[in-house]
Amino acid sequence: MRQPAVWILLASLSAAPAGAFTRSRDPDTRACLWWETRQVRVLLNEACSADLPRAQCETAVWASLAIWNEAPCSDFQFLSGGLSSRTDVGFDEDHWDDNVNLILWTESSWRHDETAIAMTTTTYDRHTGQVVDTDVELNGLSYTFTAIESPNVIVDIQNTLAHEAGHMLGLDHSSDPEACMFATAPEGETKKRDLAQDDIDGVCHIYPTGQPIAACPGGPAIDPGGDGGCGQMPRSSGPSALIWLLALGAIILRSRTHVSDS
Ligand SMILES: [Zn+2]
């Protein structure tokens, strides 16, 4: 059972009505983030997590992405790109075609908030919001990860990565405490393995099956994929300032004072 402190926290974060998914936006231009392609290929670093057998880890990773592919009203798909020796997070503008979308565990030298279980870094055109790259780092230094086969749930891989995958496709945190995209997760949680209706509403809003990308109220007027082009970013048209890195605060573990041990 949760202690009252949890519910105070949830109440303060869920003041908005349910159905409260939000799109990730550039903090200055207010452009919403979106992918031109509806099929985003993701690679997994071959080490996966040091906390469990690689096969269990890998299965959990791909299951986390696949949950988003099942939203019936969206044609957005994550594709499994298999294992990779790559470890580079971010975007190399000098080798545009060499960039990959990567998931990797960091077992030492975690460079983000130590309470963050994971961090998604997305690179996009800050004037249009078009995403060109997204990578997820998992904090193997501070946390012990587990999968379905593990005897005890500690930090569940699917619970964590399903949430990060929502960031990868362009969703920000939801105020719906039942949503996969809710910002926090107590240790041992597994309910974010599955999408809530709010999450389904979010991906279907951005990427409705057979329909254009959703408009972005309050953002700059854009024409996704306009001019009938091939969907490539206008590589030669902008200085590097066009590309912006957005580090999305991932799931933050609630401090232990907010999690009941009883
Ligand atoms: Zn998050």
Side-chain angles (χ1 to χ4, degrees), residues 163-164 167 173 249-251:
H163 176 95
E164 299 311 313
H167 287 320
H173 291 142
I251 300 180

Side-chain angles (χ1 to χ4, degrees), residues 118 120 163-164 167 171-173 180-184 248-252:
T120 298
H163 176 95
E164 299 311 313
H167 287 320
L171 286 172
D172 203 340
H173 291 142
C180 181
M181 294 313 298
F182 191 65
T184 60
L248 293 164
I251 300 180
I252 306 294

